Amino acid sequence: MEFTGAPRLLIASDLDHTMVEHGDHDNKSLLRFGALWQAHFSHDSLLVYSTGRSPKMFADLRGEVPLLTPAIAVLSCGTEIFYGDSMTEDDAWVDNINKGWSRAAVEEVANEMNLKYQCDSEQRPHKVSFHVRKEEAKYVIPSLREKLLAKGLDIKLIYSGGLDLDVLPRSAGKGQALRYLLNKLKAEGCVPQQTLVCGDSGNDQELFSVDNVFGVIVANAQDELLQWHANQVGDKSHIFVSTEKCAAGIIEAMKHFNLQPNVSPRDCNVPLSVHCRRIPKADPGAVAREVVEYLLLTEQWLRGDIDASEAAFRRLKFSLDKNSNRICARGIIDNPHEEIESLRNQHGSQKGKNFRIWADRVRSIKLSDDSWLVRFDKWERSDCVNLHLVQMLNGRVCSLVLFYKPMKNFRMEFAGN
Ligand code: GLC
Ligand code: MG
């Protein structure tokens, strides 16, 4: 984790059909959420993904859509927990869920019943996964449960998306994993001020039963989760069923629960005036917002979403010290003001090309009372790149190191990557 102290907000979100809207070619709402998180939360809050995907399928998804790097990744339906960019696995969690578990015994019963296994990458040490059609689920699930319990196994069965059946240790699952993480944070004196859980299907249900969390069931949720919600008695005011789909529903829930700020920089105009612009008190959040606005403005210029104007140009240059150096990924050193000048003639050059730029892993270190060292990854996507679609779709083009001087300008240097 990049900061110490209690996170202002912890978001624990499912990925498929919750954070990620498959079929949305532009990933519009995911990019909106990403800009909001990066600009306003990344410096003091925790983003946790909680997905049924294995490490391999999680890595695949990160190559396909503009997902921010999470602080914590809870994978394989809450059976594997990884921290940070290095994806360091939590071995204590693995030990925790080992009790009463035998993969071999689960397979033995499944083979007897002739169940259809999911692909190899989704079979994990503490998760055995099958495909079971909705019509068959009604009798397959109770019968499998009965046989596994008869063998003395301490397991749980989770049905999601009207097709996926997961068998896990009873002590595992998305809800148990989140409880474990919250307890860990508590032991470190870092209880999040607020927690929001987000989901769309059966394996997310447990998240909504964790104590002291707000929850959003996104508009496009599966029947099994909506049914569960409908069957709940008592106070359900901590769970919001959004009217918008996927990540747009998460932003809607932030508004509903008054988790501030909740307006994405992608939903408002980047202020162009530099004369009356006052750089707020130097804090890591202010720097992150500057980075997000700078990249957003560059994107809008290239897409032709904003008018070609001197004001937009001045605003771009305002963020960068004239005397700084830029080291591109290929090792070429130049001056960022020259780079900005080269954009002048490219206004609108990316029109209609599904072109987007976004920042990930904005990190800042205070160097002295009036300067900060900031590093971030800049990503670009464009339809006009035609080779190896998935690899080229999201190409990390460079990492930037930026010095922030409050009340003066930014000085930016780029580190090769
Ligand atoms: C993901 C996993 C799959 C699992 C499903 C539901 O799709 O890849 O193995 O069954 O989530 O948890
Ligand atoms: Mg899902």
PDB file of all heavy atoms in Angstrom, residues 352-365:
ATOM      1  N   GLY A 352     -12.667  10.037 -34.298  1.00  0.00           N
ATOM      2  CA  GLY A 352     -13.313   8.810 -34.777  1.00  0.00           C
ATOM      3  C   GLY A 352     -12.468   7.554 -34.669  1.00  0.00           C
ATOM      4  O   GLY A 352     -12.778   6.539 -35.279  1.00  0.00           O
ATOM      5  N   LYS A 353     -11.380   7.611 -33.887  1.00  0.00           N
ATOM      6  CA  LYS A 353     -10.492   6.435 -33.814  1.00  0.00           C
ATOM      7  C   LYS A 353     -10.543   5.734 -32.465  1.00  0.00           C
ATOM      8  O   LYS A 353      -9.641   4.985 -32.125  1.00  0.00           O
ATOM      9  CB  LYS A 353      -9.056   6.862 -34.121  1.00  0.00           C
ATOM     10  CG  LYS A 353      -8.854   7.219 -35.580  1.00  0.00           C
ATOM     11  CD  LYS A 353      -7.422   7.586 -35.842  1.00  0.00           C
ATOM     12  CE  LYS A 353      -7.227   8.003 -37.292  1.00  0.00           C
ATOM     13  NZ  LYS A 353      -6.028   8.785 -37.476  1.00  0.00           N
ATOM     14  N   ASN A 354     -11.564   6.017 -31.678  1.00  0.00           N
ATOM     15  CA  ASN A 354     -11.688   5.391 -30.355  1.00  0.00           C
ATOM     16  C   ASN A 354     -10.419   5.612 -29.539  1.00  0.00           C
ATOM     17  O   ASN A 354      -9.939   4.710 -28.840  1.00  0.00           O
ATOM     18  CB  ASN A 354     -11.986   3.893 -30.513  1.00  0.00           C
ATOM     19  CG  ASN A 354     -12.560   3.301 -29.234  1.00  0.00           C
ATOM     20  OD1 ASN A 354     -12.941   4.030 -28.327  1.00  0.00           O
ATOM     21  ND2 ASN A 354     -12.604   1.989 -29.153  1.00  0.00           N
ATOM     22  N   PHE A 355      -9.859   6.785 -29.660  1.00  0.00           N
ATOM     23  CA  PHE A 355      -8.586   7.114 -29.009  1.00  0.00           C
ATOM     24  C   PHE A 355      -8.821   7.587 -27.575  1.00  0.00           C
ATOM     25  O   PHE A 355      -9.681   8.421 -27.320  1.00  0.00           O
ATOM     26  CB  PHE A 355      -7.904   8.221 -29.819  1.00  0.00           C
ATOM     27  CG  PHE A 355      -6.615   8.708 -29.211  1.00  0.00           C
ATOM     28  CD1 PHE A 355      -5.459   7.955 -29.305  1.00  0.00           C
ATOM     29  CD2 PHE A 355      -6.569   9.922 -28.544  1.00  0.00           C
ATOM     30  CE1 PHE A 355      -4.278   8.399 -28.736  1.00  0.00           C
ATOM     31  CE2 PHE A 355      -5.388  10.382 -27.981  1.00  0.00           C
ATOM     32  CZ  PHE A 355      -4.244   9.617 -28.080  1.00  0.00           C
ATOM     33  N   ARG A 356      -8.052   7.034 -26.654  1.00  0.00           N
ATOM     34  CA  ARG A 356      -8.165   7.442 -25.242  1.00  0.00           C
ATOM     35  C   ARG A 356      -6.786   7.455 -24.594  1.00  0.00           C
ATOM     36  O   ARG A 356      -5.921   6.647 -24.945  1.00  0.00           O
ATOM     37  CB  ARG A 356      -9.046   6.464 -24.453  1.00  0.00           C
ATOM     38  CG  ARG A 356     -10.484   6.397 -24.910  1.00  0.00           C
ATOM     39  CD  ARG A 356     -11.248   7.639 -24.554  1.00  0.00           C
ATOM     40  NE  ARG A 356     -12.580   7.629 -25.132  1.00  0.00           N
ATOM     41  CZ  ARG A 356     -13.382   8.674 -25.168  1.00  0.00           C
ATOM     42  NH1 ARG A 356     -12.986   9.837 -24.665  1.00  0.00           N
ATOM     43  NH2 ARG A 356     -14.571   8.585 -25.699  1.00  0.00           N
ATOM     44  N   ILE A 357      -6.608   8.328 -23.642  1.00  0.00           N
ATOM     45  CA  ILE A 357      -5.390   8.347 -22.818  1.00  0.00           C
ATOM     46  C   ILE A 357      -5.830   8.310 -21.356  1.00  0.00           C
ATOM     47  O   ILE A 357      -6.786   8.984 -20.991  1.00  0.00           O
ATOM     48  CB  ILE A 357      -4.578   9.654 -23.015  1.00  0.00           C
ATOM     49  CG1 ILE A 357      -4.233   9.882 -24.489  1.00  0.00           C
ATOM     50  CG2 ILE A 357      -3.299   9.619 -22.183  1.00  0.00           C
ATOM     51  CD1 ILE A 357      -3.471  11.185 -24.737  1.00  0.00           C
ATOM     52  N   TRP A 358      -5.146   7.533 -20.544  1.00  0.00           N
ATOM     53  CA  TRP A 358      -5.473   7.550 -19.119  1.00  0.00           C
ATOM     54  C   TRP A 358      -4.226   7.281 -18.287  1.00  0.00           C
ATOM     55  O   TRP A 358      -3.221   6.784 -18.794  1.00  0.00           O
ATOM     56  CB  TRP A 358      -6.577   6.549 -18.775  1.00  0.00           C
ATOM     57  CG  TRP A 358      -6.200   5.108 -18.961  1.00  0.00           C
ATOM     58  CD1 TRP A 358      -5.730   4.252 -18.016  1.00  0.00           C
ATOM     59  CD2 TRP A 358      -6.270   4.360 -20.190  1.00  0.00           C
ATOM     60  NE1 TRP A 358      -5.507   3.014 -18.582  1.00  0.00           N
ATOM     61  CE2 TRP A 358      -5.819   3.055 -19.904  1.00  0.00           C
ATOM     62  CE3 TRP A 358      -6.679   4.677 -21.497  1.00  0.00           C
ATOM     63  CZ2 TRP A 358      -5.770   2.066 -20.879  1.00  0.00           C
ATOM     64  CZ3 TRP A 358      -6.611   3.685 -22.470  1.00  0.00           C
ATOM     65  CH2 TRP A 358      -6.164   2.392 -22.151  1.00  0.00           C
ATOM     66  N   ALA A 359      -4.328   7.666 -17.034  1.00  0.00           N
ATOM     67  CA  ALA A 359      -3.202   7.506 -16.113  1.00  0.00           C
ATOM     68  C   ALA A 359      -3.478   6.362 -15.153  1.00  0.00           C
ATOM     69  O   ALA A 359      -4.621   6.128 -14.764  1.00  0.00           O
ATOM     70  CB  ALA A 359      -3.009   8.785 -15.309  1.00  0.00           C
ATOM     71  N   ASP A 360      -2.425   5.662 -14.800  1.00  0.00           N
ATOM     72  CA  ASP A 360      -2.536   4.604 -13.792  1.00  0.00           C
ATOM     73  C   ASP A 360      -1.369   4.776 -12.817  1.00  0.00           C
ATOM     74  O   ASP A 360      -0.342   5.365 -13.168  1.00  0.00           O
ATOM     75  CB  ASP A 360      -2.466   3.233 -14.484  1.00  0.00           C
ATOM     76  CG  ASP A 360      -2.726   2.074 -13.523  1.00  0.00           C
ATOM     77  OD1 ASP A 360      -3.413   2.282 -12.496  1.00  0.00           O
ATOM     78  OD2 ASP A 360      -2.241   0.958 -13.795  1.00  0.00           O
ATOM     79  N   ARG A 361      -1.519   4.293 -11.638  1.00  0.00           N
ATOM     80  CA  ARG A 361      -0.462   4.272 -10.618  1.00  0.00           C
ATOM     81  C   ARG A 361       0.173   5.653 -10.420  1.00  0.00           C
ATOM     82  O   ARG A 361       1.392   5.785 -10.493  1.00  0.00           O
ATOM     83  CB  ARG A 361       0.621   3.251 -10.993  1.00  0.00           C
ATOM     84  CG  ARG A 361       0.101   1.837 -11.129  1.00  0.00           C
ATOM     85  CD  ARG A 361       1.203   0.822 -11.135  1.00  0.00           C
ATOM     86  NE  ARG A 361       2.172   1.027 -12.176  1.00  0.00           N
ATOM     87  CZ  ARG A 361       3.364   0.465 -12.220  1.00  0.00           C
ATOM     88  NH1 ARG A 361       3.738  -0.330 -11.242  1.00  0.00           N
ATOM     89  NH2 ARG A 361       4.193   0.688 -13.222  1.00  0.00           N
ATOM     90  N   VAL A 362      -0.632   6.662 -10.233  1.00  0.00           N
ATOM     91  CA  VAL A 362      -0.078   7.982  -9.924  1.00  0.00           C
ATOM     92  C   VAL A 362       0.464   7.917  -8.492  1.00  0.00           C
ATOM     93  O   VAL A 362      -0.270   7.613  -7.567  1.00  0.00           O
ATOM     94  CB  VAL A 362      -1.151   9.088 -10.030  1.00  0.00           C
ATOM     95  CG1 VAL A 362      -0.547  10.443  -9.705  1.00  0.00           C
ATOM     96  CG2 VAL A 362      -1.777   9.098 -11.414  1.00  0.00           C
ATOM     97  N   ARG A 363       1.744   8.131  -8.336  1.00  0.00           N
ATOM     98  CA  ARG A 363       2.383   8.032  -7.016  1.00  0.00           C
ATOM     99  C   ARG A 363       3.159   9.307  -6.761  1.00  0.00           C
ATOM    100  O   ARG A 363       3.836   9.805  -7.654  1.00  0.00           O
ATOM    101  CB  ARG A 363       3.384   6.873  -6.994  1.00  0.00           C
ATOM    102  CG  ARG A 363       2.834   5.557  -7.491  1.00  0.00           C
ATOM    103  CD  ARG A 363       2.289   4.735  -6.345  1.00  0.00           C
ATOM    104  NE  ARG A 363       1.279   3.799  -6.826  1.00  0.00           N
ATOM    105  CZ  ARG A 363       1.479   2.516  -7.055  1.00  0.00           C
ATOM    106  NH1 ARG A 363       2.664   2.007  -6.865  1.00  0.00           N
ATOM    107  NH2 ARG A 363       0.509   1.728  -7.450  1.00  0.00           N
ATOM    108  N   SER A 364       3.100   9.839  -5.568  1.00  0.00           N
ATOM    109  CA  SER A 364       3.895  11.036  -5.312  1.00  0.00           C
ATOM    110  C   SER A 364       4.630  10.925  -3.982  1.00  0.00           C
ATOM    111  O   SER A 364       4.157  10.292  -3.041  1.00  0.00           O
ATOM    112  CB  SER A 364       3.002  12.274  -5.346  1.00  0.00           C
ATOM    113  OG  SER A 364       1.914  12.101  -4.499  1.00  0.00           O
ATOM    114  N   ILE A 365       5.798  11.514  -3.960  1.00  0.00           N
ATOM    115  CA  ILE A 365       6.623  11.528  -2.750  1.00  0.00           C
ATOM    116  C   ILE A 365       6.962  12.986  -2.482  1.00  0.00           C
ATOM    117  O   ILE A 365       7.406  13.702  -3.390  1.00  0.00           O
ATOM    118  CB  ILE A 365       7.950  10.757  -2.966  1.00  0.00           C
ATOM    119  CG1 ILE A 365       7.682   9.305  -3.360  1.00  0.00           C
ATOM    120  CG2 ILE A 365       8.829  10.819  -1.714  1.00  0.00           C
ATOM    121  CD1 ILE A 365       8.918   8.611  -3.914  1.00  0.00           C
TER     122      ILE A 365
END
